[in-house]
Amino acid sequence: MVNLFEYNVKTHHKQELINIDHYLNEALEKSQVEEGIMIVYCPHTTAGITINENADPDVKKDLNAALNDTFPNHEYFIHREGNSDGHMKSTVTGASETLIISEGRMVFGTWQSVYFAEFDGPRTRTVYVKIIGG
Amino acid sequence: MVNLFEYNVKTHHKQELINIDHYLNEALEKSQVEEGIMIVYCPHTTAGITINENADPDVKKDLNAALNDTFPNHEYFIHREGNSDGHMKSTVTGASETLIISEGRMVFGTWQSVYFAEFDGPRTRTVYVKIIGG
Amino acid sequence: MVNLFEYNVKTHHKQELINIDHYLNEALEKSQVEEGIMIVYCPHTTAGITINENADPDVKKDLNAALNDTFPNHEYFIHREGNSDGHMKSTVTGASETLIISEGRMVFGTWQSVYFAEFDGPRTRTVYVKIIGG
């Protein structure tokens, strides 16, 4: 049974939090794993994976505002591509999240969703999903 | 053998770091896994899991002060629940930690413990512990 | 087959990002795992593991500058060892990263490498690498 999946995520803004739960559910169904874990992995260095609220869209707006405020594109940055703020946000957010699978479903909290966090878009990005039974 | 465990954590303050090592040790013992990994998962979007020092309680105080200082409840936040600072801290801290198990014990550093990080308490929270042998 | 590996990392500065890909590749080869996951774990509370760019060394310089700028050694810290900034950076960066293994190689992005992040050096540090097939 296949347990490694690759998805493309098209981003439309410089910074953006994109809900990718539908990809994770699709991968889980294809894997036919009932009990185990799922690793959601971002192979980019100016993006990340984070889990946060899916109910009120204002939370995403506040997160984006706070990320820009806390980790700005400092004038002292020397990296010529000019996206060192995105690299910093990537290190803070992290390249992956690990989820628990039980009874064929992800053990989410009521308000949790998984987001692809774009920090240097717009681009077409990749997300890997790996599922291990056990 | 059961390898998924659920624990309740009662928090008493708005922000609080609560050592949950005893839950992890109990889960590990029940699982009877000698070699493998453990995922500690927080199903909340205004809380997280972090690993830090267990010796000097002043470290917890300094971490709480720095978290509040670096990620304040900005006036520009629009989320009506008024806890966007907690959502931001949750994304920065992360929803889970993955530990290594060897010879029936967690491969901790000398000073490491696992903390449930409450960012919008007091509440009764949940922590999931999943153990995979291998 | 052995699937848990321990490596020493010698750091030379107070703060330093050290590429440890060669250790991960060595562990992967010894494990003979073709499909699975790898947990890279830091057992220290003033250090962490992060994934970021390996091409332009200026990115590391910018990350170090932004880490020091965003998470300074506040005057209000009370922990007597004087390294609470390192504890804070450790919680923000995280103690581990989980990688995906496919066809006997790590599923990295083109520009990704794994870094041991020293936040209170110089010291001789330890990194654990655990590999699970599946």
Side-chain angles (χ1 to χ4, degrees):
Chain A
M1 198 63 59
V2 175
N3 70 3
L4 175 59
F5 305 88
E6 179 178 343
Y7 295 102
N8 287 326
V9 178
K10 182 129 193 54
T11 66
H12 298 87
H13 303 283
K14 166 84 167 136
Q15 183 167 305
E16 197 176 355
L17 295 172
I18 297 178
N19 189 317
I20 56 172
D21 286 356
H22 55 294
Y23 288 140
L24 312 189
N25 285 319
E26 183 188 312
L28 182 51
E29 194 175 334
K30 285 186 179 168
S31 77
Q32 298 186 19
V33 166
E34 293 286 319
E35 308 292 328
I37 61 174
M38 174 190 285
I39 289 91
V40 184
Y41 187 80
C42 165
H44 309 286
T45 57
T46 53
I49 306 292
T50 193
I51 297 173
N52 220 297
E53 169 163 332
N54 54 24
D56 179 0
D58 286 346
V59 172
K60 284 208 291 185
K61 292 178 191 165
D62 286 351
L63 285 174
N64 277 316
L67 283 163
N68 283 329
D69 195 31
T70 314
F71 308 106
N73 204 358
H74 293 290
E75 285 190 17
Y76 55 71
F77 283 154
I78 56 179
H79 177 49
R80 285 203 180 177
E81 286 189 63
N83 59 0
S84 288
D85 58 331
H87 288 286
M88 180 66 180
K89 290 167 184 167
S90 176
T91 271
V92 168
T93 306
S96 73
E97 292 285 348
T98 301
L99 306 171
I100 298 170
I101 299 162
S102 177
E103 300 180 354
R105 302 180 63 173
M106 283 172 294
V107 181
F108 272 146
T110 312
W111 313 110
Q112 284 185 319
S113 283
V114 178
Y115 291 92
F116 182 89
E118 171 65 82
F119 298 128
D120 191 35
R123 304 197 199 196
T124 299
R125 301 289 206 169
T126 300
V127 174
Y128 293 103
V129 178
K130 173 78 177 180
I131 297 171
I132 303 260
Chain B
M1 197 64 59
V2 176
N3 69 2
L4 175 59
F5 304 88
E6 180 179 343
Y7 295 101
N8 287 326
V9 177
K10 182 131 192 52
T11 66
H12 299 87
H13 303 284
K14 167 82 169 141
Q15 183 167 303
E16 196 175 356
L17 296 172
I18 296 179
N19 189 318
I20 56 172
D21 287 355
H22 56 295
Y23 288 140
L24 312 190
N25 286 319
E26 183 188 312
L28 183 51
E29 194 175 333
K30 284 184 179 169
S31 77
Q32 298 185 20
V33 165
E34 293 286 318
E35 308 292 327
I37 61 173
M38 174 189 286
I39 289 89
V40 185
Y41 186 80
C42 165
H44 309 285
T45 58
T46 53
I49 306 291
T50 193
I51 297 174
N52 220 298
E53 169 164 332
N54 55 24
D56 179 1
D58 285 346
V59 173
K60 284 208 290 186
K61 292 179 190 165
D62 286 351
L63 285 173
N64 277 317
L67 283 162
N68 283 329
D69 195 31
T70 314
F71 308 107
N73 203 359
H74 293 290
E75 286 190 16
Y76 55 70
F77 283 154
I78 56 178
H79 177 49
R80 285 203 179 178
E81 287 188 60
N83 59 0
S84 288
D85 58 330
H87 288 287
M88 179 66 180
K89 290 167 184 168
S90 177
T91 271
V92 168
T93 307
S96 73
E97 293 284 348
T98 301
L99 306 171
I100 298 170
I101 299 163
S102 177
E103 300 180 352
R105 303 180 62 173
M106 283 172 295
V107 181
F108 272 148
T110 312
W111 313 110
Q112 283 184 318
S113 283
V114 178
Y115 291 92
F116 183 89
E118 171 66 82
F119 297 129
D120 191 35
R123 304 198 198 197
T124 299
R125 302 289 206 169
T126 301
V127 175
Y128 293 103
V129 179
K130 173 77 177 180
I131 297 171
I132 303 259
Chain C
M1 197 64 58
V2 176
N3 70 3
L4 176 59
F5 305 88
E6 180 179 342
Y7 296 101
N8 287 324
V9 177
K10 182 130 193 53
T11 66
H12 298 86
H13 303 283
K14 166 83 167 140
Q15 182 166 305
E16 196 176 355
L17 296 171
I18 297 179
N19 189 318
I20 56 172
D21 287 354
H22 56 294
Y23 288 140
L24 312 189
N25 285 319
E26 183 188 312
L28 182 52
E29 194 175 335
K30 285 184 179 169
S31 77
Q32 297 185 20
V33 166
E34 293 287 317
E35 308 293 328
I37 61 173
M38 174 190 286
I39 289 90
V40 184
Y41 188 80
C42 165
H44 308 286
T45 57
T46 53
I49 306 291
T50 194
I51 297 173
N52 220 298
E53 170 164 331
N54 55 24
D56 178 1
D58 285 346
V59 173
K60 284 208 290 185
K61 292 179 191 166
D62 287 350
L63 285 173
N64 277 317
L67 283 163
N68 283 329
D69 195 30
T70 314
F71 308 106
N73 204 359
H74 293 290
E75 285 190 17
Y76 56 70
F77 283 153
I78 57 178
H79 177 49
R80 285 203 179 176
E81 286 188 62
N83 58 359
S84 287
D85 58 331
H87 287 286
M88 179 66 180
K89 290 167 185 169
S90 176
T91 270
V92 168
T93 306
S96 73
E97 293 285 348
T98 301
L99 306 172
I100 298 170
I101 300 163
S102 177
E103 300 181 353
R105 302 179 63 173
M106 283 171 294
V107 181
F108 272 146
T110 313
W111 314 109
Q112 283 185 319
S113 283
V114 178
Y115 291 92
F116 182 88
E118 171 66 82
F119 298 129
D120 191 35
R123 304 199 199 195
T124 299
R125 301 289 206 170
T126 300
V127 175
Y128 293 103
V129 179
K130 173 78 176 179
I131 297 171
I132 303 260

